[in-house]
Amino acid sequence: MSLVTVPFYQKRHKHFDQSYRNVQTRYLLDEYAAKKRTSSRSSSQKSLSQKSSSQRASDRGSFAATTCSICAKRVSTAQEEEEEHEKKRRYQSLVASYGEAKRERFLRELAEMEENVHLARSQAQDKLDKYAIQEMVEDKLAGDRHSYLERMRRAPEILVRLRSHTVWERMSVKLCFTVQGFPTPVVQWYKDGSLICQAGEPGKYRIESKYGVHTLEINRANFDDTATYSAVATNGYGQVSTNAAVVVRRFHGDEEPLRSVGLPIGLPPSSVLPYMHFDVQFLEKFGVTFRREGETVTLKCTLLVTPELKRVQPRAEWYRDNVLVKESRWAKMFFGEGQASLSFSHLNKDDEGLYTLRIVSRGGVSEHSAFLFVRDADPLVTGAPGAPMDLQCHDANRDYVIVTWKPPNTTTESPVIGYFIDRCEVGTDNWVQCNDAPVKICKYPVTGLFEGRSYVFRVRAVNSAGISRPSRVSEAVAALDPVDLRRLQAVHLEGDKEIVIYQDDLEGDVQVPGPPTNVHVSEISRTYVVLSWDPPAPRGKEPLMYFIEKSVVGSGSWQRVNAQTAVRSPRYAVFDLTEGKPYVFRVLSANKHGLSEPSEITAPIQAQDTIAVPSAPGRVLASRNTRTSVVVQWDRPKHEEDLLGYYVDCCVAGSNAWEPCNHKPIGYNRFVVHGLTTGEQYVFRVKAVNAVGMSENSQESDVIKVQAALTVPSHPYGVTLLNCDGHSMTLGWKVPRYSGGAPILGYYLDRREAQHRNWHEVNSSPIKERIFTVEGLTEGSLYEFKIAAANLAGIGQPSDPSELFKCEAWTMPEPGPAYDLTFCEVRDSSLVVLWKAPVYSGSSPVSGYFVDYKEEDSGEWSTVNEAPTASRYLKVCDLHQGKTYVFRVRAVNASGVGRPSETSEPVLVEARPGTKEISAGVDEEGNIYLGFDCQEMTDASQFTWCRAYEELAEDDHKFRVETAGDHSKLYFKNPDKGDLGTYSVSVSDTDGVSSSFTLDEEELERLMALSNEIKNPTIPLKSELAYEIFDQGQVRFWLQAEHLSPDASYRFIINDREVSDSEKHKIKCDKATGVIEMVMDRFTIDNEGTYTVQIRDGKAKSQSSLVLIGDAFKAVLDEAELQRREFLRKQGPHFAEYLHWDVTDECEVRLLCKVANTKRETVFKWLKDDVLYEAEAPDLERAVCQLLIPKLSKKDLGEYKATLKDDRGQDVSVLEIAGKVYDDMVLAMSRVCGASASPLKVLCTEEGIRLQCFMKYFTEEMKVNWYHKDAKISSSDHMRIGGSEEMAWLQICEPTEKDKGKYTFEIYDGKDNHQRSLDLSGQAFDEAFAEFQQLKAAAFAEKNRGKVIGGLPDVVTIMEGKTLNLTCTVFGNPDPEVVWFKNDKDIELSDHFSVKVEQAKYVSMTIKGVSSEDSGKYSIHVKNKYGGEKIDVTVSVYKHGEKIPEVSPPQQAKPKLIPASASGP
């Protein structure tokens, strides 16, 4: 018998050698030999019963001998049988005891369940009885309830407040508090200020209210639940709150705070799973996912599993296209800790499909599905196809395997022309290409494998652009013959033992094998034929080989196909068959003993494709699904045999750019295409795929717009009481948030009286408006209402019951509430609130409205407008982005402020992504419009245009609305200033899409100007009519149009007279560039007037004029004459550049000019004030002439001329240095001097301290300033400002401590200030001041010392006998002492020598009767305590009659200083 039903090589792929088939046989034989030896040693000690047992064993051995000689040798002992029986009895006893315990537990649980059911029934009956009694009593007291309620009304009051809790993680915590009040307060729970929503986290929170006790239960708290929890109780008479802290502590490790009790028996969790009931809720789900090959992705769902047991969990299963996914090297799964995930480390297109997560438990199956799209990776070669996919291996044998795959989608690439198959032996990285030429079908028999080795395969697609990336590697497959397992037999021995042997062992001594049987063709294609056969019987024990022979039908000759290589598998692919010829085949088997006879000949076979390309799919239908997806369905092709699936392509309508929707063939004729653009229009097509290739594309589907499918509308909300007269109530409500994709046809109202259970229909036919008066009510009764909306899809869910409205007449003088608060133009910091006027206006008309707002969680209302607004809309600004606000409106009349409206729904102040605004423009016909686009429209969406937020009437004679698809335009029929204002648009059945536009006067003028240009077309001009004066004095009039056609015409008109092309007026037009010009060779005084050019090109016209009258004409005429004169001037020597100037780096002014058209005879001269200026003659060949003026000053002012002259004419250039020119030169010199100025230096004098700044040149005309401590210094007696050619200085006379500080010298060059600074303080000031004191004392001494002011010559010549009188004036303070010396000796006074001093000022010495002895050097010493000086006078005496000696003319005698301490000569 066969041991296995599934070949083991399909379960595990390992590398086997040729001895693998003997393993089990050797094991059983070894065990048999060991037991035989034990039996032989104990055989002599056996009893008679043992002999009889041995005899029975011998009988069985004899019987077995007829089957096998090995089995006859096996003997079993009685002791071994008894031991075996004892073990079996012990095992059966354990099983029986376990079964009894299990049965008793089941009966006990069943009895408990019956008791619980009986108890539940009795409790339910008691509750029903109580409820019936309660209902009877309430109906009896209904009439007195209202007055009782009035007496009971009071604000909420908390009796028992919340208490803080500290719990362990994964434990539940319950918060409780008690509140009383009437009407019953509404309680809301908050976590850290955020409202707790049970629907947001299903199963996490449970909120209950019973008899004034309100509880919040947090199920299985985690660390994130640590927070402050608040409860707010509110009714119409007040609001109270209480709060408490919850702290969740976390355990270390994975142990739970309360260990679960272990199972009674040690069974694995999976065996307990079917008996457990789990409640599974999906909290977070994976959605439709788009990825690319080679990327990673994780599909994850967050779950809430109740109860949560650590050792027992439900089973999580993942499916792809309803096929169970197993873990592999590509896919990893995780389930636990509240989540289930499937991760892909390297995506391939094989992974694309619909993924389903199923959570299986006794409670049923919870599942979630979404599609994973995997696009092709970027090709290695541009234009190459995508990789093949879904590689499978079939019919593996010793040296042969069939590989199949699925073709890639080539919507955007050229078609696939074939495939290359590669193989790689497991454990190596050596890939070998299996086929030389590309295979055209998706199936290939791979031969040449080595027996016992395992292989993996991959496939690459080829098209005209190149080769694709390789497919995902296949699963490993072993080259083994599955028939080997079928040849194994099991033989029963004594007891429960078996032995496995090969069928070859029973065939006897067979040597040469028999011929193969059942030779047939298992697969036919155009390029190969696969032969299959059964091994011979008997086959012998030796390894078999096969040889295949083929023959063309009718030829009579046989050709061996595999003469070089023996085939070991009973299957072989025959290639190289001639197409169209029939063949027959036969097979021979062989072993080492010889070759068998040939097998029977097959039937004639012809190589041809048995599978054809499929026909195109039938009609394709596309239907709406969601805002980003479309459902595509199609009819299957007529010939759908062997289909691998379908590919779906999509294209934006009108673009013809097709894109693939799926990248792996799908096997069903319905597909949901995801990832589409909302509002865009698409068409779809489908093609079928099989192993041969792809069909033709199907017909394209109808164009479909991507929108959500039609559903019933959501429920209305905001039911408000607007008026009541005691017998009827007027109600208003808000439109449903979602219309279901179709216009709302109307509304249905139901009502019921308080304490009544049944609802009563108010209207049998739908109501169009959202305001309705309910008649026939009982005064004083309380009513509640609910409303449902209807569209084409049906009637939607009704709204929640309204609050109880009392039917009593309104008589208050104030107005009733405004209603229908809506919002539009919600932006990052503003929004517009709109509302409708109250139905009940009170005792006087409504005069205005107040708008209040507050943050959603805030308690105080703020008023937006200080004064009431008369409009029914208001733009609220200065809001905080990301905050949520609520609003209400209060109407005002003469009696006061009325009731506030119902509080609006919360509004998040934040601009929606992709927000669009209204645009203003002009169409092709010149009509002015306002346009708006909305990509989020549905079939039920409508554009509503408003002016000042009042809807425009359909028959408005001033406006026209045109809407096409998702674009709407508001046209102005006759725009004027009366149309100024604010225009708005809103789109219904969207998430508040709206916008506004303010049309002001400037914008209207721009639009009307643009409209006029379109309605009255003009030829646009690049340049208006202008003039240009040529070098010779010619005047050119020209203009340039944007574009001129060949049929364009034009006219030149001068002073209302058309001129034509002539010598006087040369007119031409270049229509390629649009330039029209007229050149006048001689422009004279007669040409004054208006010049006009008129152009016509089809319907378009244009005109441009130029007025040349008065000063404008004179300017043109003068310029033309000047150009003419310039032209004549340049015929002889002339100045190419007239005189101009610059300043050199040495601060010299340089006059420059350039000359042209000169020759050797040309004479150049410089003149100043018409006087020849002596300067070096310039080299005219260099064309540049210059004149340097060093150290410019006012003496250089004047008119400078440069003249050129030769026989051809002369030219003069004049530059006057005066006024601004001189000032600019000084500034330019200041720039050079300022840049070269030295740092400030200190010079001390007897007058004080002098600060000096040296520079290349300084003149008083330069703009300089001195600053002391940033304060400007004016020249004064204390601080004198001056300078010389080399420096500028500041003299501080008689400096004091106040003169310390920072001094700055500044020179301004017309643009920049050049500054030099010195800090004259501290040691610098002290040293300078000390030097000043010394110099001052020296100067004082110099001023007051004795000195000779004048009067004495240095040489005196006198004739003998005369009287010599030497007289001088002296000075000194105090009066000096005067002493005369002769030849450095004191003069003794006598009658001959006498000295006279008068008034201490005039000194004289008289020598009477001079003689030759009186000749010599006479000196006068004048001295006081400060010092003095000495003057020497040489006296020469000649005799009477002698020639007067020749001496140089007498000069003033030079004094010599006498120090104050000196004495004597």
Side-chain angles (χ1 to χ4, degrees):
M1 61 177 288
S2 177
L3 290 180
V4 289
T5 58
V6 179
F8 71 92
Y9 69 92
Q10 294 185 4
K11 294 185 175 181
R12 294 179 181 269
H13 298 284
K14 296 183 179 179
H15 186 75
F16 296 98
D17 57 17
Q18 295 184 358
S19 63
Y20 75 93
R21 61 182 180 179
N22 300 320
V23 172
Q24 293 180 344
T25 303
R26 289 201 308 272
Y27 171 78
L28 293 176
L29 291 176
D30 292 343
E31 185 179 5
Y32 165 75
K35 290 186 177 181
K36 181 182 177 183
R37 288 193 297 268
T38 304
S39 175
S40 298
R41 286 194 299 268
S42 60
S43 59
S44 60
Q45 302 175 3
K46 302 305 177 183
S47 62
L48 181 61
S49 61
Q50 290 174 340
K51 291 181 180 180
S52 61
S53 299
S54 177
Q55 182 63 37
R56 290 193 299 271
S58 178
D59 293 340
R60 286 196 298 272
S62 298
F63 175 76
T66 62
T67 304
C68 177
S69 59
I70 299 176
C71 297
K73 298 178 182 179
R74 179 162 183 158
V75 178
S76 177
T77 63
Q79 288 183 350
E80 291 175 343
E81 287 182 350
E82 289 177 359
E83 290 175 0
E84 291 292 331
H85 286 306
E86 181 65 25
K87 291 180 180 178
K88 185 179 296 185
R89 284 195 303 273
R90 203 175 296 159
Y91 176 79
Q92 291 174 350
S93 175
L94 289 174
V95 171
S97 61
Y98 170 72
E100 182 63 23
K102 185 176 181 181
R103 187 180 66 82
E104 290 177 359
R105 185 171 67 251
F106 175 77
L107 293 175
R108 183 170 59 256
E109 291 176 353
L110 183 61
E112 291 176 357
M113 183 180 297
E114 290 177 351
E115 183 179 353
N116 291 337
V117 170
H118 178 72
L119 179 62
R121 285 178 178 175
S122 61
Q123 291 177 349
Q125 186 62 43
D126 292 341
K127 289 185 178 179
L128 288 174
D129 295 339
K130 290 180 180 178
Y131 181 81
I133 296 173
Q134 181 182 358
E135 186 176 17
M136 182 178 63
V137 172
E138 288 178 352
D139 289 339
K140 185 176 180 180
L141 299 177
D144 301 330
R145 184 177 179 83
H146 178 68
S147 59
Y148 174 76
L149 295 178
E150 288 292 332
R151 293 194 302 272
M152 291 293 294
R153 288 181 178 174
R154 61 179 180 273
E157 179 182 1
I158 295 178
L159 303 180
V160 179
R161 308 188 73 84
L162 289 177
R163 181 172 58 86
S164 298
H165 290 71
T166 300
V167 297
W168 293 109
E169 195 175 24
R170 298 185 181 179
M171 294 180 64
S172 298
V173 61
K174 182 181 290 187
L175 303 177
C176 304
F177 81 108
T178 304
V179 64
Q180 68 177 7
F182 196 86
T184 302
V186 176
V187 175
Q188 290 180 310
W189 291 88
Y190 295 83
K191 175 184 176 181
D192 286 339
S194 298
L195 181 66
I196 294 176
C197 178
Q198 287 179 278
E201 295 183 75
K204 180 67 177 178
Y205 303 99
R206 186 169 67 184
I207 299 175
E208 293 182 350
S209 299
K210 185 179 294 184
Y211 309 117
V213 179
H214 301 267
T215 61
L216 168 66
E217 183 175 1
I218 306 171
N219 184 37
R220 296 190 60 78
N222 56 37
F223 191 73
D224 294 333
D225 293 320
T226 299
T228 299
Y229 291 82
S230 305
V232 179
T234 308
N235 66 8
Y237 298 90
Q239 185 182 77
V240 293
S241 63
T242 178
N243 57 68
V246 173
V247 179
V248 181
R249 298 186 62 184
R250 176 171 290 171
F251 275 82
H252 296 287
D254 296 331
E255 295 185 353
E256 295 188 8
L258 298 176
R259 295 184 178 271
S260 58
V261 180
L263 296 174
I265 55 176
L267 297 177
S270 59
S271 64
V272 184
L273 176 61
Y275 302 100
M276 295 300 298
H277 180 97
F278 291 93
D279 181 19
V280 179
Q281 295 181 355
F282 288 94
L283 305 182
E284 295 182 5
K285 305 175 182 178
F286 61 90
V288 176
T289 307
F290 296 87
R291 288 293 186 274
R292 187 182 292 273
E293 280 189 305
E295 297 180 349
T296 61
V297 70
T298 298
L299 307 180
K300 183 172 66 174
C301 282
T302 304
L303 310 169
L304 178 62
V305 180
T306 308
E308 183 177 350
L309 304 178
K310 192 170 187 66
R311 297 183 57 190
V312 181
Q313 291 185 345
R315 186 170 63 251
E317 298 175 346
W318 288 89
Y319 292 83
R320 178 174 62 240
D321 298 329
N322 291 326
V323 177
L324 183 64
V325 178
K326 297 182 178 179
E327 279 203 355
S328 65
R329 57 182 293 195
W330 317 107
K332 301 297 181 185
M333 302 178 189
F334 174 78
F335 179 55
E337 299 180 3
Q339 67 178 17
S341 63
L342 174 62
S343 300
F344 295 92
S345 58
H346 188 282
L347 283 173
N348 285 84
K349 289 185 294 185
D350 306 58
D351 301 316
E352 181 172 285
L354 181 66
Y355 282 82
T356 302
L357 170 62
R358 294 176 182 170
I359 308 299
V360 183
S361 69
R362 188 181 179 188
V365 177
S366 301
E367 64 179 34
H368 166 68
S369 300
F371 208 93
L372 170 63
F373 293 87
V374 182
R375 300 194 302 269
D376 287 303
D378 293 332
L380 300 176
V381 178
T382 303
M389 71 214 77
D390 204 8
L391 198 63
Q392 301 291 333
C393 297
H394 309 276
D395 298 337
N397 217 294
R398 288 190 179 97
D399 55 0
Y400 169 93
V401 69
I402 292 179
V403 180
T404 62
W405 60 90
K406 292 180 181 179
N409 193 351
T410 55
T411 301
T412 58
E413 297 90 15
S414 59
V416 173
I417 60 177
Y419 303 90
F420 286 115
I421 298 89
D422 304 329
R423 76 167 186 262
C424 178
E425 187 175 341
V426 174
T428 69
D429 293 327
N430 185 23
W431 286 96
V432 179
Q433 186 171 303
C434 300
N435 54 319
D436 296 330
V439 178
K440 296 185 179 299
I441 64 174
C442 299
K443 190 174 188 180
Y444 185 74
V446 179
T447 59
L449 306 181
F450 293 93
E451 183 179 3
R453 300 185 183 181
S454 297
Y455 295 88
V456 291
F457 299 87
R458 69 183 187 186
V459 180
R460 295 169 292 149
V462 184
N463 68 358
S464 58
I467 303 176
S468 73
R469 293 177 179 270
S471 67
R472 174 179 281 179
V473 176
S474 70
E475 295 292 338
V477 61
L480 298 171
D481 187 358
V483 179
D484 286 346
L485 293 176
R486 295 201 294 269
R487 294 172 42 244
L488 293 175
Q489 270 193 348
V491 179
H492 290 280
L493 302 178
E494 293 89 348
D496 295 332
K497 300 301 181 181
E498 293 180 337
I499 184 171
V500 179
I501 63 173
Y502 274 92
Q503 192 174 358
D504 305 350
D505 298 329
L506 307 177
E507 293 177 350
D509 196 9
V510 177
Q511 292 187 347
V512 178
T517 59
N518 190 24
V519 180
H520 63 280
V521 175
S522 60
E523 186 176 343
I524 302 175
S525 74
R526 186 169 24 175
T527 57
Y528 65 88
V529 170
V530 177
L531 295 177
S532 298
W533 58 88
D534 294 335
R539 59 171 287 165
K541 299 181 180 180
E542 301 299 333
L544 279 180
M545 298 177 290
Y546 301 97
F547 294 95
I548 297 91
E549 294 180 346
K550 68 179 179 179
S551 174
V552 179
V553 175
S555 65
S557 63
W558 290 91
Q559 179 185 356
R560 183 162 291 183
V561 176
N562 58 327
Q564 302 296 327
T565 305
V567 176
R568 301 182 58 83
S569 302
R571 191 175 294 105
Y572 187 74
V574 182
F575 290 88
D576 300 329
L577 300 177
T578 303
E579 188 174 356
K581 290 185 179 181
Y583 290 85
V584 291
F585 301 88
R586 66 186 185 185
V587 182
L588 297 88
S589 58
N591 61 12
K592 69 178 184 178
H593 297 293
L595 188 66
S596 74
E597 294 295 326
S599 68
E600 294 182 359
I601 299 174
T602 64
I605 299 165
Q606 187 173 345
Q608 59 184 5
D609 285 334
T610 58
I611 304 175
V613 175
S615 57
R619 183 180 58 171
V620 180
L621 296 176
S623 57
R624 290 161 51 175
N625 187 44
T626 68
R627 296 169 62 85
T628 58
S629 64
V630 167
V631 177
V632 181
Q633 302 180 75
W634 57 92
D635 295 336
R636 296 182 182 274
K638 296 180 180 179
H639 306 287
E640 57 175 341
E641 297 81 6
D642 302 312
L643 276 184
L644 297 177
Y646 302 91
Y647 280 124
V648 182
D649 300 334
C650 70
C651 171
V652 176
S655 67
N656 200 30
W658 291 94
E659 294 292 337
C661 298
N662 60 314
H663 308 86
K664 176 183 175 183
I666 54 175
Y668 31 87
N669 63 334
R670 182 182 184 276
F671 186 65
V672 180
V673 180
H674 291 274
L676 304 178
T677 303
T678 303
E680 190 64 82
Q681 293 183 334
Y682 291 87
V683 292
F684 299 87
R685 69 185 185 190
V686 184
K687 51 195 172 190
V689 183
N690 67 3
V692 178
M694 298 186 189
S695 70
E696 296 292 332
N697 291 315
S698 68
Q699 293 183 351
E700 297 176 4
S701 69
D702 294 333
V703 176
I704 184 171
K705 188 175 183 180
V706 181
Q707 290 179 333
L710 292 179
T711 60
V712 296
S714 61
H715 61 80
Y717 65 102
V719 182
T720 306
L721 178 62
L722 303 179
N723 194 8
C724 182
D725 59 4
H727 302 286
S728 65
M729 292 183 179
T730 301
L731 304 176
W733 59 90
K734 292 186 178 181
V735 68
R737 290 185 172 88
Y738 301 102
S739 67
I744 294 178
L745 302 178
Y747 301 90
Y748 293 92
L749 276 73
D750 294 335
R751 68 174 173 85
R752 72 176 176 186
E753 200 169 346
Q755 305 305 324
H756 286 216
R757 298 176 57 187
N758 297 328
W759 289 91
H760 301 282
E761 183 182 76
V762 175
N763 58 309
S764 58
S765 58
I767 302 169
K768 300 288 185 181
E769 302 296 331
R770 286 183 289 110
I771 184 171
F772 185 74
T773 300
V774 182
E775 304 286 351
L777 304 179
T778 303
E779 187 171 6
S781 298
L782 296 174
Y783 294 90
E784 58 183 346
F785 302 86
K786 64 180 181 180
I787 306 171
N791 64 3
L792 287 175
I795 301 176
Q797 291 293 323
S799 65
D800 295 332
S802 68
E803 62 178 282
L804 290 173
F805 297 133
K806 186 175 182 180
C807 185
E808 60 180 2
W810 288 10
T811 59
M812 64 277 195
E814 296 85 4
Y819 70 100
D820 198 13
L821 268 69
T822 57
F823 304 93
C824 63
E825 303 172 39
V826 180
R827 301 297 185 261
D828 287 338
S829 61
S830 65
L831 53 78
V832 176
V833 187
L834 301 97
W835 61 89
K836 292 184 179 179
V839 175
Y840 178 80
S841 60
S843 61
S844 59
V846 175
S847 59
Y849 302 90
F850 286 108
V851 178
D852 303 331
Y853 75 101
K854 67 175 182 177
E855 291 191 23
E856 183 180 8
D857 300 330
S858 176
E860 296 184 0
W861 290 91
S862 301
T863 302
V864 178
N865 49 327
E866 296 180 357
T869 175
S871 304
R872 293 199 298 275
Y873 66 90
L874 184 67
K875 185 170 185 178
V876 183
C877 301
D878 299 328
L879 301 177
H880 297 288
Q881 182 179 359
K883 296 287 186 179
T884 303
Y885 295 86
V886 292
F887 296 81
R888 70 180 185 185
V889 178
R890 294 173 292 148
V892 181
N893 66 3
S895 299
V897 180
R899 297 181 181 179
S901 66
E902 291 289 332
T903 302
S904 70
E905 65 271 18
V907 182
L908 176 63
V909 180
E910 190 170 66
R912 298 169 61 255
T915 298
K916 293 187 177 181
E917 303 293 348
I918 295 176
S919 61
V922 180
D923 64 10
E924 296 178 353
E925 298 180 358
N927 299 314
I928 299 175
Y929 69 87
L930 301 179
F932 186 71
D933 293 327
C934 177
Q935 301 294 332
E936 303 176 6
M937 289 190 62
T938 65
D939 288 347
S941 298
Q942 293 182 349
F943 290 90
T944 302
W945 286 93
C946 302
R947 181 179 181 185
Y949 296 97
E950 293 289 339
E951 185 174 352
L952 298 176
E954 293 184 0
D955 57 349
D956 198 316
H957 66 282
K958 293 183 66 65
F959 305 100
R960 173 171 53 90
V961 177
E962 290 185 3
T963 300
D966 56 4
H967 185 74
S968 181
K969 292 182 179 179
L970 174 67
Y971 283 94
F972 295 84
K973 294 181 179 179
N974 296 301
D976 54 26
K977 290 187 177 180
D979 296 323
L980 301 179
T982 299
Y983 294 84
S984 61
V985 63
S986 59
V987 186
S988 63
D989 204 40
T990 60
D991 191 14
V993 176
S994 56
S995 180
S996 66
F997 182 86
T998 301
L999 183 64
D1000 55 20
E1001 187 172 353
E1002 180 181 355
E1003 180 67 11
L1004 180 62
E1005 290 179 358
R1006 183 187 72 82
L1007 294 173
M1008 293 185 68
L1010 184 58
S1011 174
N1012 182 62
E1013 290 181 5
I1014 296 175
K1015 292 181 177 179
N1016 302 296
T1018 59
I1019 301 175
L1021 300 178
K1022 286 186 178 180
S1023 175
E1024 296 285 343
L1025 184 61
Y1027 69 88
E1028 179 183 4
I1029 300 176
F1030 292 159
D1031 292 342
Q1032 299 182 21
Q1034 300 166 321
V1035 179
R1036 172 181 177 250
F1037 295 89
W1038 66 281
L1039 62 78
Q1040 185 175 12
E1042 292 279 355
H1043 173 73
L1044 291 178
S1045 70
D1047 299 329
S1049 61
Y1050 58 91
R1051 296 194 309 162
F1052 260 101
I1053 299 173
I1054 302 177
N1055 294 330
D1056 298 330
R1057 294 181 62 183
E1058 182 177 356
V1059 295
S1060 57
D1061 186 21
S1062 63
E1063 288 294 328
K1064 186 177 181 182
H1065 304 93
K1066 297 177 182 178
I1067 302 174
K1068 65 178 180 178
C1069 173
D1070 186 353
K1071 294 182 179 179
T1073 60
V1075 175
I1076 302 174
E1077 66 175 17
M1078 177 182 68
V1079 178
M1080 300 178 66
D1081 187 56
R1082 182 74 175 175
F1083 196 72
T1084 64
I1085 192 67
D1086 298 329
N1087 298 125
E1088 184 176 8
T1090 302
Y1091 294 77
T1092 302
V1093 177
Q1094 295 179 348
I1095 311 173
R1096 179 181 294 273
D1097 193 353
K1099 294 183 179 180
K1101 298 182 294 183
S1102 186
Q1103 175 176 304
S1104 182
S1105 298
L1106 180 64
V1107 179
L1108 296 180
I1109 298 175
D1111 293 340
F1113 171 76
K1114 185 177 180 182
V1116 177
L1117 182 62
D1118 292 345
E1119 179 68 17
E1121 291 296 333
L1122 175 63
Q1123 292 296 335
R1124 184 176 294 104
R1125 288 196 302 271
E1126 282 292 300
F1127 174 74
L1128 296 176
R1129 179 180 70 85
K1130 292 179 181 179
Q1131 302 307 307
H1134 64 276
F1135 289 96
E1137 291 184 9
Y1138 287 106
L1139 273 179
H1140 58 281
W1141 60 270
D1142 65 4
V1143 176
T1144 67
D1145 292 339
E1146 298 301 323
C1147 206
E1148 297 175 329
V1149 176
R1150 179 171 57 185
L1151 305 184
L1152 297 167
C1153 62
K1154 283 188 178 181
V1155 297
N1157 200 14
T1158 60
K1159 58 182 182 178
R1160 288 185 178 181
E1161 292 78 10
T1162 302
V1163 177
F1164 179 89
K1165 294 181 180 179
W1166 289 102
L1167 294 95
K1168 178 184 177 185
D1169 296 330
D1170 295 330
V1171 177
L1172 185 64
Y1173 194 94
E1174 295 296 334
E1176 183 180 356
D1179 185 0
L1180 299 182
E1181 292 183 358
R1182 296 183 178 178
V1184 178
C1185 304
Q1186 66 178 11
L1187 175 66
L1188 291 177
I1189 305 176
K1191 298 182 180 180
L1192 180 73
S1193 61
K1194 289 188 176 181
K1195 65 182 179 59
D1196 298 311
L1197 297 177
E1199 183 182 74
Y1200 291 80
K1201 289 183 181 180
T1203 63
L1204 281 172
K1205 186 176 181 181
D1206 60 20
D1207 56 355
R1208 295 170 296 167
Q1210 65 177 4
D1211 198 5
V1212 178
S1213 179
V1214 179
L1215 176 65
E1216 183 175 4
I1217 300 179
K1220 186 176 184 306
V1221 174
Y1222 179 76
D1223 295 339
D1224 291 343
M1225 290 180 176
V1226 172
L1227 291 176
M1229 291 190 298
S1230 300
R1231 187 175 302 111
V1232 175
C1233 294
S1236 64
S1238 68
L1240 292 181
K1241 298 182 179 180
V1242 178
L1243 177 66
C1244 297
T1245 66
E1246 67 274 10
E1247 295 180 346
I1249 300 173
R1250 175 176 292 186
L1251 304 181
Q1252 301 177 135
C1253 181
F1254 292 90
M1255 57 190 69
K1256 292 184 177 180
Y1257 178 63
F1258 177 75
T1259 178
E1260 293 181 354
E1261 284 79 12
M1262 293 182 179
K1263 297 181 179 180
V1264 297
N1265 291 302
W1266 288 86
Y1267 296 90
H1268 178 219
K1269 297 179 181 179
D1270 297 330
K1272 187 177 180 180
I1273 300 173
S1274 299
S1275 184
S1276 62
D1277 292 340
H1278 179 60
M1279 290 190 177
R1280 298 199 305 271
I1281 298 174
S1284 63
E1285 290 184 354
E1286 296 179 351
M1287 74 175 78
W1289 50 259
L1290 171 68
Q1291 181 71 46
I1292 306 173
C1293 300
E1294 296 296 331
T1296 63
E1297 290 291 328
K1298 293 182 179 180
D1299 296 321
K1300 290 183 177 181
K1302 178 182 177 182
Y1303 286 84
T1304 302
F1305 170 69
E1306 178 184 87
I1307 180 169
Y1308 177 66
D1309 63 7
K1311 293 183 179 179
D1312 301 319
N1313 290 315
H1314 303 272
Q1315 295 182 342
R1316 300 291 186 269
S1317 299
L1318 177 68
D1319 187 7
L1320 188 62
S1321 59
Q1323 182 179 357
F1325 180 83
D1326 295 342
E1327 292 177 353
F1329 186 78
E1331 185 177 354
F1332 155 68
Q1333 293 291 350
Q1334 294 177 359
L1335 294 176
K1336 180 180 178 182
F1340 183 82
E1342 174 66 20
K1343 179 180 178 181
N1344 294 288
R1345 67 177 175 83
K1347 62 184 69 175
V1348 178
I1349 295 176
L1352 293 177
D1354 58 345
V1355 176
V1356 176
T1357 302
I1358 189 171
M1359 188 173 63
E1360 188 177 25
K1362 299 288 185 179
T1363 299
L1364 176 63
N1365 187 10
L1366 297 176
T1367 304
C1368 65
T1369 304
V1370 298
F1371 172 78
N1373 186 17
D1375 294 340
E1377 176 184 6
V1378 179
V1379 179
W1380 286 91
F1381 295 90
K1382 178 182 179 183
N1383 295 329
D1384 297 331
K1385 294 182 179 179
D1386 292 339
I1387 297 178
E1388 295 181 1
L1389 298 179
S1390 61
D1391 293 340
H1392 185 63
F1393 291 98
S1394 62
V1395 175
K1396 185 178 181 181
V1397 178
E1398 296 179 353
Q1399 301 178 4
K1401 183 175 181 182
Y1402 302 106
V1403 177
S1404 64
M1405 181 185 71
T1406 303
I1407 304 175
K1408 296 179 179 179
V1410 297
S1411 63
S1412 57
E1413 294 178 354
D1414 295 324
S1415 296
K1417 181 180 72 174
Y1418 291 84
S1419 301
I1420 181 172
H1421 287 209
V1422 181
K1423 179 182 177 183
N1424 60 12
K1425 63 180 181 179
Y1426 297 113
E1429 63 182 20
K1430 176 181 75 173
I1431 293 179
D1432 295 333
V1433 179
T1434 301
V1435 177
S1436 177
V1437 181
Y1438 64 92
K1439 293 182 178 180
H1440 184 76
E1442 289 183 353
K1443 186 179 179 180
I1444 298 175
E1446 295 183 0
V1447 295
S1448 58
Q1451 296 180 356
Q1452 183 75 25
K1454 295 182 179 180
K1456 297 179 181 178
L1457 292 179
I1458 300 175
S1461 60
S1463 61

